[in-house]
Structures are given as C-alpha cells and as structure tokens.
Amino acid sequence: MGAQLRVYKRRIKSISATKKITKAMEMIAASRVVKAQRQVAASTPYASELTRAVGAVATGSTTKHPLTTEAENPTRAALLLITSDRGLAGGYSANVIKAAEQATKALTEQGKEVDTYIVGRKGVAYYGFREYKVTESWTGFTDNPTYADAKKIAGPLIEAVQQDTAEGGVDELHIVYTEFVSMLTQQPVDNRLLPLSMEKTAEETAAKDVIAPLYEFEPSSEEVLDALLPRYVESRIYNALLQAAASKHAATRRAMKSATDNAEELIKSLSRLANAARQAEITQEISEIVGGASALADASAGSD
C-alpha cells in the first residue's frame, strides 16, 4: 500500500508542475492575442481600401496588366501557405496545411502547375518530410510579423507574377492562411490575390454605396498599376500574416486552457485514489494493531 501511495504522490507532483507550465503559456497567449487582434483591426481597413482603390483604377484603365488581366490559358500558379513556427496550438497548422493541399489539388485538376511558397517551420517540416517541392520558404517571425517581413515575402512572388511563364513565371497568385474571426473561431481560407477579381471588387464597392470615380493617369495607367502592384500584394500578405498570428495565439490559448483543465481533473482523480490508498493503509495498520493486541491478550489469559 505504501508503495502505491508514493506512486500516486509522485504522479500528482509531476502533473502539478505540468499544469503550472500550461497555465503560464495560456496567460502568455491570452496577452499576445489581444495585441495581435488590435494589429489585425488596424491593418484590415487599409488592405481593404487599397484593394478597392486598385480595382477602381484598373476598371478605369484599358491597359493589360498582371494585376488585373486574366491569362487566356493559365498554366502555372503560385501558392503562398502561412503556418506557424511553433506547435502547442491544437490543430491550427494541420488545418491550414490541409486547406493548402486541397487548393493545390484543385489547381492541379485545372491543369495548372503549382509553385509552393511557405511561411512557418511547421509547413516547411511537413512538406520537407513528404519531399514535396517548395520554391521558397521563410521562418522565424510568425508569432509577431512586421511589414518588413511581408515585403520580404512579396518580393519573389511579385517577380514571379511579372515574369513570363516560359521563364518560370506564374499566371495566378493564391494565399492560404487562417482567418481570425473571433477568439473562439479561426478558419483556413484560400484567396486569390492576382489577378484581382474585378467582379468581386465591383460588388464590394456597390455594397459600400461608393460611386466609382473617373481617373486621369499621369504619366500613364500602366505605370500607376506598376506602382500599386507591390503595395497591394504587400498589404494583403501583411494582413494575412497578422490574421494568422492572431489565430495561432488564440488556438494556443484554447489548447493550453484545455490542457490545464485536463491536468486539474487528473489531479483530482489521482488525489481520490491516493486518499483511498491512504485510508486502506490506515485500516490495515489498525487491523494489525487490533489483531496484535488480541493475540497478546489471549497469550496472557492462557498463561494464567
């Protein structure tokens, strides 16, 4: 009995130490998600308005540009996947990787070759383990991304869009990331960044009751679109990085809270078993004492 009680106490001590760690990680994630949520709220209006402005400029121009012109027979697409550098976030990275695989399959079925770009160590490790081809990857900043990180990612993607497909360029640019809806809801999404959908932009403009203005381009519409292209891609990637970071922190908080709650339940269960073992040990000792006393009394009575 004594050995069993020591085992229970050792397990309770170990689980209590783990509970302290998960509780601390839950509190850290909770503080980080608030900051990330504010950054998302600050960057989303800028990205949305820039998208609307680019769509309005493109609508008023007849220039063929990679930003707005659909290829007659698209054969190649770039897909940017945003995952996390760290784990302990439940199914966060697994869900967005699954969405990227589905997007890749859909593009492949359309007859398009897919160039994959990855952000985050989890995605890099997943694709590397399965020996999938990765064109370029970036790691080390997913928890707290900056606009400089977005520019670093956007550079090779813009270059690929501007190149001819025969020279390794792409006709389309897709981005798969986790959208932050609320503290309880985060969902993987697949958005096509380029070419920009004019129909979607027109619907958004109509929904806001905004009248599309008329533009005069100086020096030319093509140069204006050339200047807007990197700004558009960078802002959308930056917003996606912030959304993914907020989603990851929220997922970590939820996972660590669940781990802490499970640890508490396990400690309660082990405490009950330890108490039962202690009670059984005490009962056995009392029985032995009573039995010994009875034996001594019988021995004394026999000698008399």
Side-chain angles (χ1 to χ4, degrees), residues 112-163:
K112 301 170 187 174
E113 185 177 350
V114 180
D115 292 345
T116 305
Y117 298 76
I118 299 178
V119 176
R121 292 190 180 94
K122 287 296 179 181
V124 172
Y126 180 89
Y127 276 67
F129 180 76
R130 286 158 180 77
E131 298 183 351
Y132 295 160
K133 181 181 177 182
V134 176
T135 305
E136 196 164 347
S137 62
W138 302 267
T139 60
F141 53 81
T142 58
D143 281 356
N144 188 26
T146 63
Y147 196 83
D149 297 322
K151 289 186 69 174
K152 180 170 62 177
I153 297 169
L157 293 171
I158 294 171
E159 184 179 348
V161 170
Q162 292 176 331
Q163 282 183 344

Side-chain angles (χ1 to χ4, degrees), residues 24-142:
M25 294 182 68
E26 177 190 347
M27 295 175 67
I28 292 170
S31 64
R32 288 178 176 175
V33 73
V34 173
K35 179 183 176 181
Q37 192 175 2
R38 289 172 183 167
Q39 290 179 316
V40 170
S43 69
T44 299
Y46 174 77
S48 299
E49 286 302 312
L50 182 58
T51 302
R52 188 187 66 80
V54 170
V57 173
T59 303
S61 169
T62 57
T63 303
K64 289 187 177 181
H65 193 273
L67 189 63
T68 57
T69 305
E70 296 269 0
E72 293 183 3
N73 185 25
T75 58
R76 199 179 188 93
L79 185 143
L80 174 64
L81 167 62
I82 300 178
T83 64
S84 173
D85 285 323
R86 301 179 182 181
L88 300 177
Y92 167 78
S93 291
N95 291 336
V96 74
I97 289 173
K98 182 179 179 181
E101 289 185 323
Q102 292 174 348
T104 301
K105 181 180 179 182
L107 291 170
T108 303
E109 289 175 350
Q110 295 171 13
K112 301 170 187 174
E113 185 177 350
V114 180
D115 292 345
T116 305
Y117 298 76
I118 299 178
V119 176
R121 292 190 180 94
K122 287 296 179 181
V124 172
Y126 180 89
Y127 276 67
F129 180 76
R130 286 158 180 77
E131 298 183 351
Y132 295 160
K133 181 181 177 182
V134 176
T135 305
E136 196 164 347
S137 62
W138 302 267
T139 60
F141 53 81
T142 58

Side-chain angles (χ1 to χ4, degrees), residues 273-290:
L273 292 174
N275 292 336
R278 185 183 297 109
Q279 186 63 43
E281 185 177 353
I282 292 170
T283 302
Q284 182 178 354
E285 290 176 355
I286 292 174
S287 299
E288 291 174 353
I289 292 171
V290 171

